[in-house]
Amino acid sequence: MPEVNGRWVADMKAPRTPDNEEPAAERAHDFRPVDKGFTEEMAVAEAARCMRCKKPLCVQGCPVNINIPAFIEKIYEHKFGEGLDIIHEQSMLPAICGRVCPQETQCEGKCIRGVKSQPVAIGQLERFLGDQPELASKPKLAPKNGKKVAVIGSGPSGITCAGELARNGFDVTVFEAFFTGGGVLVYGIPEFRLPKTVVKREIDGLKDLGVKFQFNSVMGNLANAEELLGEKGFDAIYVATGAGLPKLLNIPGENLPNVFFANEYLTRVNLMKANKFPQYDTPTKHGKHVVVFGGGNVAMDSVRTALRLGAEEVTLCYRRTEAEMPARRAEVLHAKAEGVKIHELVSPLEFIAGEDGAVRAVKVQDMELGEPDASGRRRPVPIEGAIEEIPCDVAISAIGTNANPFAKKIGGMELNKWGYIVADEETGRTSNPKIWAGGDIVTGAATVILAMGAGKKAAADMTKVLLGEDGE
Amino acid sequence: MYKILEKTQFSEKVFKFRIEAPELAKHAHAGQFLMVRANECGERVPFTFADWNAEEGWIEFIFMVIGKTTMMLSTYEAGDSLEDVTGPLGRPTDMSGDGTWCVIGGGVGLAIAYPVARQLVATGHEVHAIMGARTKDLLLLEEQFRELLPEDHIHITTDDGSYGEKGVVTAPLERLLEAKAVDQVFCVGPVPMMKFSTLTAQKFGTPITASLNPIMVDGTGMCGCCRVEVGGETKFACVDGPDFDATKVDWNDLRARQAAYRTEEGQALKAYEEANCACQR
């Protein structure tokens, strides 16, 4: 009983409520959502495990400092709408973040209950509320202030910034290069991890706040910063174009047919629905033996997509060991449960063509772990002469991305030598007093929640500056 | 939605659409392209700008029926709308090269060559055009080229000899190069045409640029589907090109990548013809 003599006592005996998942053997062959989320009963039981710490470390672990114990308390009291309002004070995308944040290194990683037992399932509880958006209070909108802001890019950073600005009374237009909004949430993260209906709901919510979307708008080639701030009459710009340019492996055979960058492989399926070809027009390759290089979330999404496209054998090749993989832990476990083989300590050397000209195998170099590098992780070092060949008919490279090339074409602000925008991480201010920037185009590829945090901070700063309350 | 203002049929399989797209028209340059998605179930297909008018707010592109999407597009009429038109994409053609230019267009490539020739003329260059087609029926934009250039600067070849000179574009190119009549070459068309034009220009040490046409998905540098090998380096045609120094292009690599989805392209066309696909129009 959590209440004893009117005082809160957490249920210390209860184990962490297990995730509500589809069985691995069934789910691995279609695109249904793997995790069904907590039922009301599960959520309330899990909420009882929270100790309601006076100085909650979980809040510090959250990049946008959501008042976690407060919303969990509301769940325990069945006041779900109030709980959602508490989250909305810091984050407008709980249904997304609850699903895709790497909680084990953020909020849950700091949860005190994790020391002796399992941390509270904060992500699942956040998602439980996020999936009931109809319960939230209507957001209070500031009166229209007559200022126009252009947001470039509709990924997590852009949509967060747009939402905050709209609430603050700005006239906001989001320019998006694709035909639909969401950025990596729609082209990158697969349906089985983040249903597109969830993303659409968040975008539609922004439209209800008065945010305008202009799709098919490749800014930089279409209007640039000068034109937006000039004849188009915008008072400010938030640039959130992301970092979507694939990194090359720079090894022989990289351009062979059926060797993909993960972005292409995932875009074909997630955005263009190539899994439904020929009902949908975009085709993709259904490999029997698929090899994926990388250890992040994009690599996990690629291996699991390959399985769902009918691969018989999927091998994830990573140059370090599973312990060093930057992917969300839950996705590594999901991938393994679904039958993905993990081949640790290998690095690709060369893709080899078959008689048809397409890839038939990849030569890899065996590695061992040496001294720690700048990231604190032990550096993989080649073992001389230890080279093996892995047969494959589809190979996917998921080793990371570089700055989106359109930031330069948008112009008007300083970039660093790698093409990322130079911006203050606390305010998003760039070298141009009318341009702010945030998300992956400033930090390099990071997480959804960090991109959101940047959008939120920039919106707050833009509001101060544009409404003349800067005090300068 | 992007409205089709005008549809023109050039031959049995070649069509031109004029599309209402004021923002694109305002920002388009010769050599750039657009991505089209015909309907909700559609794929994204790149087409190069054939013409545009910023004042009237339209752009034009020309396409030949070769597969499901282009066959379906050919059934669209003026007044219908395309779901998505994105652009302008890619870098504009670099026309800073001095002297006399030779612009070579093969087949539908003529639609890309024309705005390049037009802009070269507008910026004061002397221009020769070599217009190649398999047959007379497939020769595009002859009237427009004739309006633009003097009679003796137009060189027409057809594979079957049904019009102009019988043969391929390299014959008139070789003559022009031998006579030292041109200083810069721009070519666009099928891979063999571009490859052999390049070998011919190289023989005379004349600089040659080619506009490449690999498969694309997003057209904004995100996926790398359009990658090509140029001078031993991997380049993304959609953001680094589509124009490249033709003497450095790995043509075999380009051809192999272009052919990667032959089987699936056949399946899509078959499904369309048997009306098994979800979106017809």
Side-chain angles (χ1 to χ4, degrees):
Chain A
M1 281 296 286
E3 304 269 353
V4 176
N5 299 330
R7 281 181 58 208
W8 176 261
V9 179
D11 186 346
M12 297 301 285
K13 289 207 182 102
R16 175 177 163 122
T17 312
D19 292 347
N20 185 11
E21 288 171 8
E22 296 276 4
E26 293 173 25
R27 73 185 191 224
H29 304 292
D30 58 42
F31 285 81
R32 75 176 90 161
V34 163
D35 185 333
K36 291 181 278 190
F38 281 177
T39 60
E40 188 173 318
E41 209 178 4
M42 293 164 85
V44 173
E46 184 63 15
R49 294 182 67 238
C50 174
M51 292 169 69
R52 302 187 185 173
C53 302
K54 286 246 161 48
K55 288 181 184 163
L57 295 174
C58 55
V59 177
Q60 292 172 26
C62 169
V64 295
N65 308 121
I66 293 171
N67 190 344
I68 293 164
F71 87 70
I72 292 183
E73 190 174 330
K74 294 295 180 192
I75 293 178
Y76 185 74
E77 293 168 358
H78 286 82
K79 293 175 182 165
F80 302 134
E82 289 176 34
L84 194 50
D85 289 345
I86 291 169
I87 297 179
H88 279 174
E89 285 170 25
Q90 308 303 330
S91 166
M92 288 307 289
L93 307 175
I96 293 170
C97 292
R99 285 175 170 86
V100 305
C101 270
Q103 286 93 3
E104 67 274 17
T105 61
Q106 298 178 345
C107 54
E108 293 180 21
K110 293 277 170 99
C111 174
I112 204 77
R113 292 221 47 187
V115 178
K116 288 197 171 165
S117 136
Q118 287 284 308
V120 174
I122 301 167
Q124 286 286 2
L125 293 176
E126 180 190 24
R127 171 186 162 176
F128 170 75
L129 294 179
D131 280 349
Q132 306 177 71
E134 65 284 356
L135 299 181
S137 307
K138 279 265 172 280
K140 286 194 212 75
L141 297 185
K144 290 273 174 218
N145 59 37
K147 303 266 185 190
K148 278 174 72 181
V149 180
V151 172
I152 305 180
S154 70
S157 198
I159 59 177
T160 303
C161 186
E164 294 287 317
L165 289 170
R167 287 204 288 185
N168 294 349
F170 290 90
D171 176 359
V172 185
T173 306
V174 179
F175 295 95
E176 165 57 47
F178 271 136
F179 55 79
T180 186
V184 72
L185 306 175
V186 291
Y187 75 74
I189 303 177
E191 181 75 18
F192 54 80
R193 195 147 83 80
L194 178 63
K196 299 310 154 224
T197 48
V198 173
V199 182
K200 186 175 182 303
R201 195 173 67 204
E202 304 294 357
I203 301 276
D204 288 348
L206 289 177
K207 289 180 185 163
D208 293 343
L209 295 181
V211 175
K212 288 167 270 188
F213 282 84
Q214 289 203 11
F215 298 115
N216 295 312
S217 297
V218 185
M219 301 319 263
N221 274 15
L222 216 48
N224 57 16
E226 193 186 340
E227 187 180 332
L228 288 170
L229 295 170
E231 61 183 277
K232 294 255 190 267
F234 287 99
D235 296 287
I237 305 174
Y238 181 63
V239 184
T241 53
L245 186 77
K247 264 185 197 159
L248 302 174
L249 288 163
N250 277 319
I251 59 172
E254 186 164 25
N255 296 338
L256 289 175
N258 302 357
V259 177
F260 290 87
F261 292 117
N263 265 5
E264 180 190 345
Y265 191 71
L266 294 173
T267 298
R268 282 179 181 269
V269 175
N270 296 334
L271 187 70
M272 306 308 297
K273 302 190 173 72
N275 52 316
K276 296 182 183 167
F277 177 86
Q279 273 71 44
Y280 282 74
D281 292 343
T282 306
T284 188
K285 293 295 178 184
H286 299 251
K288 289 273 169 264
H289 298 272
V290 179
V291 173
V292 177
F293 292 94
N297 286 319
V298 179
M300 296 306 149
D301 290 342
S302 302
V303 286
R304 299 175 69 199
T305 298
L307 276 177
R308 285 159 173 80
L309 292 178
E312 287 162 10
E313 192 170 291
V314 179
T315 309
L316 180 72
C317 291
Y318 184 51
R319 62 200 188 110
R320 293 185 162 100
T321 70
E322 193 185 317
E324 285 90 21
M325 281 184 185
R328 198 171 181 256
R329 189 67 197 149
E331 312 312 330
V332 180
L333 296 176
H334 283 150
K336 286 167 74 172
E338 289 164 10
V340 169
K341 286 200 327 199
I342 295 186
H343 195 338
E344 298 176 327
L345 293 164
V346 280
S347 176
L349 284 178
E350 182 182 357
F351 295 102
I352 300 163
E355 275 174 21
D356 61 353
V359 68
R360 71 154 178 84
V362 57
K363 222 183 259 179
V364 297
Q365 163 76 59
D366 292 346
M367 316 291 279
E368 60 191 349
L369 289 182
E371 294 301 307
D373 65 9
S375 73
R377 296 180 300 175
R378 292 175 63 194
R379 187 195 302 275
V381 195
I383 302 169
E384 207 176 321
I387 292 170
E388 54 184 311
E389 202 175 290
I390 307 173
C392 60
D393 51 4
V394 163
I396 302 163
S397 166
I399 59 155
T401 51
N402 289 320
N404 178 304
F406 285 89
K408 191 174 172 190
K409 295 186 166 186
I410 291 164
M413 68 215 145
E414 193 189 328
L415 306 183
N416 69 18
K417 65 174 170 176
W418 298 282
Y420 292 101
I421 298 173
V422 179
D424 184 277
E425 285 204 19
E426 282 312 301
T427 61
R429 293 183 192 184
T430 69
S431 61
N432 184 322
K434 289 189 170 175
I435 307 178
W436 281 254
D440 286 2
I441 190 58
V442 172
T443 58
T447 61
V448 169
I449 187 79
L450 283 171
M452 282 179 47
K456 198 175 146 70
K457 286 179 196 168
D461 192 63
M462 289 169 102
T463 304
K464 262 198 326 191
V465 172
L466 291 171
L467 299 185
E469 291 156 28
D470 197 27
E472 281 175 15
Chain B
M1 299 289 273
Y2 297 77
K3 196 171 156 194
I4 301 169
L5 299 171
E6 252 180 64
K7 177 188 186 184
T8 312
Q9 183 161 9
F10 290 108
S11 65
E12 192 199 348
K13 289 188 167 181
V14 181
F15 299 84
K16 180 172 80 177
F17 280 162
R18 176 175 292 186
I19 309 285
E20 186 177 55
E23 285 296 309
L24 269 73
K26 197 172 145 193
H27 296 95
H29 296 279
Q32 289 187 301
F33 64 95
L34 56 148
M35 299 291 298
V36 170
R37 189 175 73 132
N39 59 31
E40 286 280 328
C41 315
E43 60 180 338
R44 291 163 67 87
V45 186
F47 296 108
T48 307
F49 286 99
D51 203 355
W52 59 92
N53 186 312
E55 281 78 49
E56 295 172 14
W58 52 258
I59 54 126
E60 288 182 346
F61 67 90
I62 293 179
F63 63 95
M64 181 159 76
V65 175
I66 50 165
K68 145 112 202 234
T69 295
T70 45
M71 181 173 283
M72 186 175 70
L73 279 177
S74 73
T75 70
Y76 281 63
E77 300 298 338
D80 291 341
S81 287
L82 302 177
E83 188 74 28
D84 300 295
V85 177
T86 313
L89 296 163
R91 292 170 189 264
T93 296
D94 177 2
M95 299 183 215
S96 59
D98 289 333
T100 302
W101 280 68
C102 176
V103 172
I104 308 174
V108 197
L110 282 163
I112 303 161
Y114 175 69
V116 172
R118 188 178 58 182
Q119 192 170 330
L120 282 166
V121 169
T123 51
H125 289 89
E126 190 179 339
V127 177
H128 282 270
I130 303 179
M131 307 175 65
R134 284 210 308 277
T135 70
K136 183 177 194 292
D137 289 347
L138 295 172
L139 191 76
L140 298 180
L141 304 178
E142 186 187 351
E143 212 175 294
Q144 284 87 339
F145 273 98
R146 288 203 184 280
E147 267 174 40
L148 187 70
L149 303 175
E151 178 73 34
D152 61 346
H153 281 38
I154 292 180
H155 315 267
I156 296 174
T157 65
T158 49
D159 293 6
D160 64 351
S162 52
Y163 190 59
E165 181 178 338
K166 181 173 164 48
V168 292
V169 296
T170 45
L173 176 63
E174 182 133 12
R175 285 199 302 273
L176 286 168
L177 291 167
E178 253 168 18
K180 296 194 182 359
V182 296
D183 307 292
Q184 308 276 343
V185 184
F186 170 87
C187 69
V188 53
V191 167
M193 189 222 89
M194 293 195 283
K195 180 179 169 179
F196 287 102
S197 297
T198 303
L199 292 174
T200 306
Q202 252 180 315
K203 209 161 76 180
F204 293 87
T206 307
I208 175 163
T209 306
S211 173
L212 306 187
N213 50 353
I215 300 177
M216 293 186 180
V217 179
D218 68 275
T220 63
M222 279 232 340
C223 77
C225 178
C226 67
R227 61 197 191 273
V228 288
E229 238 176 274
V230 183
E233 281 180 57
T234 296
K235 298 282 183 190
F236 291 4
C238 71
V239 285
D240 300 321
D243 295 357
F244 293 97
D245 177 346
T247 63
K248 294 185 174 161
V249 172
D250 184 330
W251 301 106
N252 293 339
D253 169 75
L254 176 62
R255 266 214 118 164
R257 292 190 62 83
Q258 279 179 341
Y261 288 89
R262 280 285 149 76
T263 312
E264 291 83 357
E265 285 158 9
Q267 283 170 8
L269 189 58
K270 189 156 171 271
Y272 178 66
E273 284 169 341
E274 292 169 1
N276 286 334
C277 62
C279 286
Q280 289 292 313
R281 275 275 300 271

mmCIF file of all heavy atoms in Angstrom, chain A residues 161 164-165 168 170 426-427 429 436 453-467 469:
data_model
loop_
_atom_site.group_PDB
_atom_site.id
_atom_site.type_symbol
_atom_site.label_atom_id
_atom_site.label_comp_id
_atom_site.label_asym_id
_atom_site.label_seq_id
_atom_site.Cartn_x
_atom_site.Cartn_y
_atom_site.Cartn_z
ATOM 1 N N CYS A 161 10.101 23.980 -31.839
ATOM 2 C CA CYS A 161 10.266 25.431 -31.882
ATOM 3 C C CYS A 161 8.993 26.096 -32.422
ATOM 4 O O CYS A 161 8.503 27.071 -31.851
ATOM 5 C CB CYS A 161 11.473 25.786 -32.752
ATOM 6 S SG CYS A 161 11.875 27.535 -32.743
ATOM 7 N N GLU A 164 6.191 26.087 -29.780
ATOM 8 C CA GLU A 164 6.438 27.051 -28.707
ATOM 9 C C GLU A 164 6.178 28.470 -29.193
ATOM 10 O O GLU A 164 5.558 29.286 -28.503
ATOM 11 C CB GLU A 164 7.897 26.942 -28.231
ATOM 12 C CG GLU A 164 8.226 25.618 -27.562
ATOM 13 C CD GLU A 164 7.615 25.497 -26.178
ATOM 14 O OE1 GLU A 164 7.676 26.479 -25.414
ATOM 15 O OE2 GLU A 164 7.062 24.426 -25.880
ATOM 16 N N LEU A 165 6.652 28.781 -30.405
ATOM 17 C CA LEU A 165 6.468 30.132 -30.944
ATOM 18 C C LEU A 165 4.992 30.435 -31.168
ATOM 19 O O LEU A 165 4.528 31.543 -30.894
ATOM 20 C CB LEU A 165 7.250 30.285 -32.260
ATOM 21 C CG LEU A 165 8.774 30.341 -32.124
ATOM 22 C CD1 LEU A 165 9.428 30.231 -33.504
ATOM 23 C CD2 LEU A 165 9.234 31.627 -31.429
ATOM 24 N N ASN A 168 3.386 31.369 -28.150
ATOM 25 C CA ASN A 168 3.781 32.702 -27.710
ATOM 26 C C ASN A 168 3.229 33.812 -28.599
ATOM 27 O O ASN A 168 3.638 34.956 -28.488
ATOM 28 C CB ASN A 168 5.315 32.801 -27.650
ATOM 29 C CG ASN A 168 5.882 31.898 -26.567
ATOM 30 O OD1 ASN A 168 5.134 31.373 -25.742
ATOM 31 N ND2 ASN A 168 7.196 31.713 -26.566
ATOM 32 N N PHE A 170 3.280 34.035 -32.089
ATOM 33 C CA PHE A 170 3.917 34.318 -33.376
ATOM 34 C C PHE A 170 3.138 33.686 -34.536
ATOM 35 O O PHE A 170 2.443 32.683 -34.355
ATOM 36 C CB PHE A 170 5.357 33.792 -33.402
ATOM 37 C CG PHE A 170 6.288 34.578 -32.515
ATOM 38 C CD1 PHE A 170 6.478 34.214 -31.192
ATOM 39 C CD2 PHE A 170 6.953 35.695 -32.997
ATOM 40 C CE1 PHE A 170 7.323 34.932 -30.360
ATOM 41 C CE2 PHE A 170 7.804 36.420 -32.183
ATOM 42 C CZ PHE A 170 7.992 36.049 -30.855
ATOM 43 N N GLU A 426 22.863 27.352 -25.620
ATOM 44 C CA GLU A 426 21.826 27.716 -24.659
ATOM 45 C C GLU A 426 20.683 28.503 -25.289
ATOM 46 O O GLU A 426 19.533 28.372 -24.900
ATOM 47 C CB GLU A 426 22.439 28.518 -23.498
ATOM 48 C CG GLU A 426 23.162 27.649 -22.483
ATOM 49 C CD GLU A 426 22.308 26.439 -22.064
ATOM 50 O OE1 GLU A 426 21.191 26.646 -21.553
ATOM 51 O OE2 GLU A 426 22.756 25.293 -22.284
ATOM 52 N N THR A 427 21.024 29.329 -26.311
ATOM 53 C CA THR A 427 19.994 30.201 -26.880
ATOM 54 C C THR A 427 19.686 29.904 -28.336
ATOM 55 O O THR A 427 18.649 30.300 -28.845
ATOM 56 C CB THR A 427 20.449 31.678 -26.831
ATOM 57 O OG1 THR A 427 21.652 31.792 -27.621
ATOM 58 C CG2 THR A 427 20.742 32.119 -25.405
ATOM 59 N N ARG A 429 21.350 31.172 -30.720
ATOM 60 C CA ARG A 429 21.714 32.333 -31.535
ATOM 61 C C ARG A 429 22.874 32.016 -32.475
ATOM 62 O O ARG A 429 23.850 31.394 -32.081
ATOM 63 C CB ARG A 429 22.133 33.505 -30.651
ATOM 64 C CG ARG A 429 20.992 34.064 -29.833
ATOM 65 C CD ARG A 429 21.446 35.265 -29.029
ATOM 66 N NE ARG A 429 20.416 35.586 -28.044
ATOM 67 C CZ ARG A 429 20.471 36.637 -27.232
ATOM 68 N NH1 ARG A 429 21.519 37.446 -27.279
ATOM 69 N NH2 ARG A 429 19.502 36.863 -26.379
ATOM 70 N N TRP A 436 18.281 31.931 -35.773
ATOM 71 C CA TRP A 436 18.606 30.993 -34.708
ATOM 72 C C TRP A 436 18.736 29.602 -35.348
ATOM 73 O O TRP A 436 18.219 29.374 -36.452
ATOM 74 C CB TRP A 436 17.493 30.960 -33.663
ATOM 75 C CG TRP A 436 17.487 32.091 -32.671
ATOM 76 C CD1 TRP A 436 17.852 32.032 -31.358
ATOM 77 C CD2 TRP A 436 17.062 33.446 -32.891
ATOM 78 N NE1 TRP A 436 17.694 33.270 -30.752
ATOM 79 C CE2 TRP A 436 17.214 34.156 -31.669
ATOM 80 C CE3 TRP A 436 16.585 34.163 -34.005
ATOM 81 C CZ2 TRP A 436 16.891 35.501 -31.524
ATOM 82 C CZ3 TRP A 436 16.265 35.505 -33.864
ATOM 83 C CH2 TRP A 436 16.424 36.171 -32.633
ATOM 84 N N GLY A 453 14.866 19.939 -27.237
ATOM 85 C CA GLY A 453 15.331 20.883 -26.217
ATOM 86 C C GLY A 453 15.887 22.145 -26.869
ATOM 87 O O GLY A 453 15.593 23.262 -26.444
ATOM 88 N N ALA A 454 16.661 21.954 -27.956
ATOM 89 C CA ALA A 454 17.251 23.099 -28.652
ATOM 90 C C ALA A 454 16.153 23.978 -29.260
ATOM 91 O O ALA A 454 16.228 25.210 -29.213
ATOM 92 C CB ALA A 454 18.211 22.610 -29.734
ATOM 93 N N GLY A 455 15.126 23.339 -29.819
ATOM 94 C CA GLY A 455 14.020 24.092 -30.417
ATOM 95 C C GLY A 455 13.291 24.915 -29.374
ATOM 96 O O GLY A 455 12.888 26.060 -29.605
ATOM 97 N N LYS A 456 13.145 24.313 -28.200
ATOM 98 C CA LYS A 456 12.432 24.975 -27.107
ATOM 99 C C LYS A 456 13.233 26.176 -26.580
ATOM 100 O O LYS A 456 12.682 27.267 -26.392
ATOM 101 C CB LYS A 456 12.278 23.929 -26.013
ATOM 102 C CG LYS A 456 11.249 24.228 -24.994
ATOM 103 C CD LYS A 456 11.170 23.011 -24.084
ATOM 104 C CE LYS A 456 10.856 23.435 -22.672
ATOM 105 N NZ LYS A 456 9.497 23.935 -22.543
ATOM 106 N N LYS A 457 14.529 25.966 -26.385
ATOM 107 C CA LYS A 457 15.375 27.056 -25.879
ATOM 108 C C LYS A 457 15.414 28.203 -26.877
ATOM 109 O O LYS A 457 15.337 29.375 -26.504
ATOM 110 C CB LYS A 457 16.808 26.557 -25.644
ATOM 111 C CG LYS A 457 16.958 25.672 -24.417
ATOM 112 C CD LYS A 457 18.411 25.244 -24.315
ATOM 113 C CE LYS A 457 18.598 24.061 -23.383
ATOM 114 N NZ LYS A 457 19.934 23.474 -23.514
ATOM 115 N N ALA A 458 15.542 27.853 -28.169
ATOM 116 C CA ALA A 458 15.610 28.895 -29.193
ATOM 117 C C ALA A 458 14.302 29.677 -29.232
ATOM 118 O O ALA A 458 14.308 30.907 -29.350
ATOM 119 C CB ALA A 458 15.905 28.280 -30.556
ATOM 120 N N ALA A 459 13.177 28.967 -29.110
ATOM 121 C CA ALA A 459 11.882 29.660 -29.141
ATOM 122 C C ALA A 459 11.780 30.649 -27.986
ATOM 123 O O ALA A 459 11.295 31.772 -28.159
ATOM 124 C CB ALA A 459 10.746 28.646 -29.081
ATOM 125 N N ALA A 460 12.264 30.246 -26.818
ATOM 126 C CA ALA A 460 12.206 31.133 -25.654
ATOM 127 C C ALA A 460 13.076 32.365 -25.890
ATOM 128 O O ALA A 460 12.662 33.493 -25.628
ATOM 129 C CB ALA A 460 12.663 30.377 -24.407
ATOM 130 N N ASP A 461 14.268 32.134 -26.437
ATOM 131 C CA ASP A 461 15.173 33.257 -26.679
ATOM 132 C C ASP A 461 14.645 34.186 -27.778
ATOM 133 O O ASP A 461 14.705 35.406 -27.665
ATOM 134 C CB ASP A 461 16.565 32.734 -27.051
ATOM 135 C CG ASP A 461 17.604 33.844 -27.029
ATOM 136 O OD1 ASP A 461 17.823 34.412 -25.942
ATOM 137 O OD2 ASP A 461 18.163 34.160 -28.091
ATOM 138 N N MET A 462 14.103 33.568 -28.851
ATOM 139 C CA MET A 462 13.542 34.371 -29.950
ATOM 140 C C MET A 462 12.404 35.236 -29.429
ATOM 141 O O MET A 462 12.259 36.402 -29.801
ATOM 142 C CB MET A 462 12.998 33.446 -31.056
ATOM 143 C CG MET A 462 14.065 32.742 -31.842
ATOM 144 S SD MET A 462 13.352 31.441 -32.886
ATOM 145 C CE MET A 462 13.373 32.243 -34.478
ATOM 146 N N THR A 463 11.599 34.670 -28.554
ATOM 147 C CA THR A 463 10.466 35.407 -28.001
ATOM 148 C C THR A 463 10.967 36.638 -27.243
ATOM 149 O O THR A 463 10.478 37.747 -27.435
ATOM 150 C CB THR A 463 9.649 34.491 -27.071
ATOM 151 O OG1 THR A 463 9.263 33.333 -27.820
ATOM 152 C CG2 THR A 463 8.408 35.188 -26.555
ATOM 153 N N LYS A 464 11.968 36.408 -26.401
ATOM 154 C CA LYS A 464 12.552 37.516 -25.641
ATOM 155 C C LYS A 464 13.081 38.610 -26.568
ATOM 156 O O LYS A 464 12.780 39.779 -26.417
ATOM 157 C CB LYS A 464 13.739 36.994 -24.794
ATOM 158 C CG LYS A 464 13.371 36.700 -23.367
ATOM 159 C CD LYS A 464 14.577 36.619 -22.434
ATOM 160 C CE LYS A 464 15.846 36.057 -23.006
ATOM 161 N NZ LYS A 464 16.879 35.772 -22.010
ATOM 162 N N VAL A 465 13.877 38.174 -27.561
ATOM 163 C CA VAL A 465 14.538 39.135 -28.439
ATOM 164 C C VAL A 465 13.521 39.868 -29.332
ATOM 165 O O VAL A 465 13.527 41.087 -29.431
ATOM 166 C CB VAL A 465 15.611 38.441 -29.309
ATOM 167 C CG1 VAL A 465 16.168 39.392 -30.350
ATOM 168 C CG2 VAL A 465 16.729 37.893 -28.427
ATOM 169 N N LEU A 466 12.623 39.109 -29.932
ATOM 170 C CA LEU A 466 11.708 39.720 -30.904
ATOM 171 C C LEU A 466 10.661 40.603 -30.251
ATOM 172 O O LEU A 466 10.153 41.541 -30.847
ATOM 173 C CB LEU A 466 11.028 38.638 -31.741
ATOM 174 C CG LEU A 466 11.942 37.890 -32.701
ATOM 175 C CD1 LEU A 466 11.216 36.705 -33.298
ATOM 176 C CD2 LEU A 466 12.444 38.804 -33.806
ATOM 177 N N LEU A 467 10.312 40.271 -29.003
ATOM 178 C CA LEU A 467 9.298 41.089 -28.332
ATOM 179 C C LEU A 467 9.942 42.195 -27.495
ATOM 180 O O LEU A 467 9.278 42.873 -26.725
ATOM 181 C CB LEU A 467 8.368 40.217 -27.486
ATOM 182 C CG LEU A 467 7.584 39.168 -28.276
ATOM 183 C CD1 LEU A 467 6.601 38.440 -27.389
ATOM 184 C CD2 LEU A 467 6.866 39.787 -29.463
ATOM 185 N N GLU A 469 12.080 42.213 -24.967
ATOM 186 C CA GLU A 469 12.229 42.132 -23.518
ATOM 187 C C GLU A 469 13.619 41.624 -23.171
ATOM 188 O O GLU A 469 13.843 41.005 -22.135
ATOM 189 C CB GLU A 469 11.169 41.184 -22.923
ATOM 190 C CG GLU A 469 9.768 41.744 -23.018
ATOM 191 C CD GLU A 469 8.734 40.627 -22.983
ATOM 192 O OE1 GLU A 469 9.037 39.585 -22.384
ATOM 193 O OE2 GLU A 469 7.649 40.810 -23.551
#
